[in-house]
Amino acid sequence: MTAHIRPDLDSIPAYVPGRSHPGAVKLASNETTIGPLPAASKAIAEAVELANRYPDNQSGELRAALAQFLGVEPANIAVGCGSVALCQELVQITCADPADEVLYAWRSFEAYPIITQVGNATAVTVPLRDHVHDLDALAAAVTERTRLVFVCNPNNPTGTAVGRAELERFLDRMPGNVLIALDEAYYEYLRMTPGDHPDGVELARNRPNVVVLRTFSKAYGLAGLRVGYAVGAPEVIAALLKVHIPFSVSRVAQAAAIASLEARHELLDRTEAVIAERDRMRTALLAAGYRVPVSESNFLWITLDAATTEFADASAAAGVLIRPFAGEGVRVTAGDPHENELFLRFATDPETAAR
Ligand code: PMP
């Protein structure tokens, strides 16, 4: 006889990670192509020497470094095993009854429906409008059971972003007892006009019901080490620390994150090259007749409708792995120029267009 497993897990969509294939170029998971900085590699090697000891469960040194960088207090910061763990922990600290609602736009980050169902809460979704968050519709979908709202800005997988003024208007309309999570995993790639730059940490400063999520996985290039952080009111942060899986952010991850934060100017310089490549790819794809919304992230969304799966399979056969969303479109990460050129050669080949 097999053990009893929650039957509702059967209906949970599996999180489908970007495929990898030996020898193929991987533009499927919004990672950086360049590996860690030498300073991070050195910190990693030193931290490994203490692998026999548990890490600091409070990530004290990393939180202090982040607090200084962001101009907040360490009590405003929680660290998690990737920001996806913090997304899950936010459901855990807000939802205690199956009727409690988690609200988010769709399509957005694939983990939201999974963590909501695993958290035994109810998902409420609102469609994007032209691939962009429809904040009016999102505000209109709030009920007295809404506990948590995710706003992914820039949005994964469409790459689009909403500006500060629109976001502020939305936050000001939200009831104070609803927690709003601004998921800024791609924050470092945002280049909106200075007056409309949507800096979640700034917006959360005087709004205790707003929490911001950022990560070292994307622009900081540490996806494999699993470290992200939340910035918010001390009460929210204290609750996150309670549901945190003990020691789930390793010593290696903490050390690499501190070293990368110290060397952030070097890392953030790299984002300029990625942004230039992203824009070059978009221009070439538009010229070839594809539909590609403006991106504020390190990836592009290509609307392909029914042709999606075939396009992604053909791209893989041409040696470039991208992320398909069946029936909708594909998401393509901006990699290095060589990788991007391989993809563009495939996508703009007249044979691909004729499919
Ligand atoms: N939020 C968004 C919008 C993401 O795209 C991702 C990664 N795909 C995450 C959070 C989680 O990133 P990580 O757990 O690696 O920090």
Side-chain angles (χ1 to χ4, degrees):
M1 200 171 146
T2 52
H4 176 81
I5 306 284
R6 280 169 55 178
D8 69 302
L9 290 187
D10 286 344
S11 65
I12 294 185
Y15 183 88
V16 186
R19 293 176 291 182
S20 59
H21 190 275
V25 161
K26 188 177 173 216
L27 300 180
S29 297
N30 302 340
E31 300 144 323
T32 53
T33 299
I34 310 177
L37 293 171
S41 297
K42 185 166 171 282
I44 289 167
E46 283 168 11
V48 162
E49 292 296 315
L50 280 167
N52 54 315
R53 300 289 178 194
Y54 284 106
D56 172 6
N57 190 44
Q58 303 273 333
S59 297
E61 206 185 325
L62 175 55
R63 287 167 72 202
L66 283 166
Q68 196 182 17
F69 165 53
L70 297 168
V72 298
E73 297 299 319
N76 294 116
I77 294 178
V79 171
C81 179
S83 58
V84 71
L86 292 158
C87 291
Q88 179 157 21
E89 289 163 17
L90 286 173
V91 176
Q92 289 174 324
I93 67 166
T94 52
C95 297
D97 185 296
D100 287 342
E101 294 173 358
V102 179
L103 173 64
Y104 49 87
W106 198 249
R107 182 170 278 283
S108 192
F109 182 33
E110 286 159 287
Y112 300 155
I114 299 173
I115 59 177
T116 301
Q117 198 172 341
V118 170
N120 219 6
T122 296
V124 177
T125 60
V126 166
L128 298 172
R129 197 183 48 208
D130 294 334
H131 309 296
V132 185
H133 267 88
D134 182 347
L135 293 183
D136 287 338
L138 211 56
V142 170
T143 73
E144 77 231 16
R145 292 316 298 252
T146 307
R147 297 286 178 264
L148 177 63
V149 184
F150 282 109
V151 178
C152 186
N153 198 41
N155 188 47
N156 175 12
T158 56
T160 55
V162 289
R164 181 189 172 110
E166 201 184 334
L167 205 50
E168 263 187 320
R169 252 193 325 274
F170 168 76
L171 295 176
D172 290 342
R173 286 172 67 185
M174 283 294 111
N177 63 350
V178 174
L179 186 63
I180 298 124
L182 301 178
D183 184 344
E184 297 187 335
Y186 302 95
Y187 176 78
E188 292 82 2
Y189 296 103
L190 266 167
R191 295 291 181 275
M192 301 185 88
T193 53
D196 207 24
H197 181 68
D199 178 344
V201 173
E202 208 47 57
L203 293 173
R205 228 173 264 282
N206 298 313
R207 294 180 174 87
N209 65 332
V210 175
V211 60
V212 180
L213 301 177
R214 291 189 187 165
T215 180
F216 283 92
S217 295
K218 310 296 179 185
Y220 285 84
L222 298 177
L225 290 184
R226 315 304 306 125
V227 52
Y229 58 96
V231 189
E235 299 74 23
V236 174
I237 298 303
L240 284 173
L241 289 174
K242 287 189 182 170
V243 297
H244 174 75
I245 295 179
F247 309 116
S248 57
V249 182
S250 74
R251 180 188 303 277
V252 170
Q254 292 179 40
I258 293 165
S260 300
L261 196 62
E262 280 167 4
R264 65 184 167 275
H265 299 297
E266 209 175 323
L267 283 166
L268 296 181
D269 279 353
R270 291 180 179 177
T271 63
E272 301 304 329
V274 171
I275 288 168
E277 276 297 296
R278 173 198 77 197
D279 291 344
R280 177 178 81 87
M281 290 165 82
R282 180 167 182 263
T283 303
L285 291 166
L286 289 176
Y290 289 100
R291 289 170 288 162
V292 189
V294 173
S295 171
E296 291 286 342
S297 59
N298 66 335
F299 54 87
L300 292 168
W301 172 261
I302 308 176
T303 302
L304 289 164
D305 305 323
T308 297
T309 306
E310 199 189 336
F311 181 92
D313 287 348
S315 177
V320 186
L321 302 175
I322 57 175
R323 179 77 73 95
F325 295 85
E328 296 176 54
V330 296
R331 192 191 66 201
V332 185
T333 307
D336 71 20
H338 164 71
E339 294 172 322
N340 302 336
E341 205 44 48
L342 268 183
F343 174 71
L344 287 178
R345 215 177 296 158
F346 157 74
T348 60
D349 185 316
E351 257 195 51
T352 304
R355 262 170 231 277

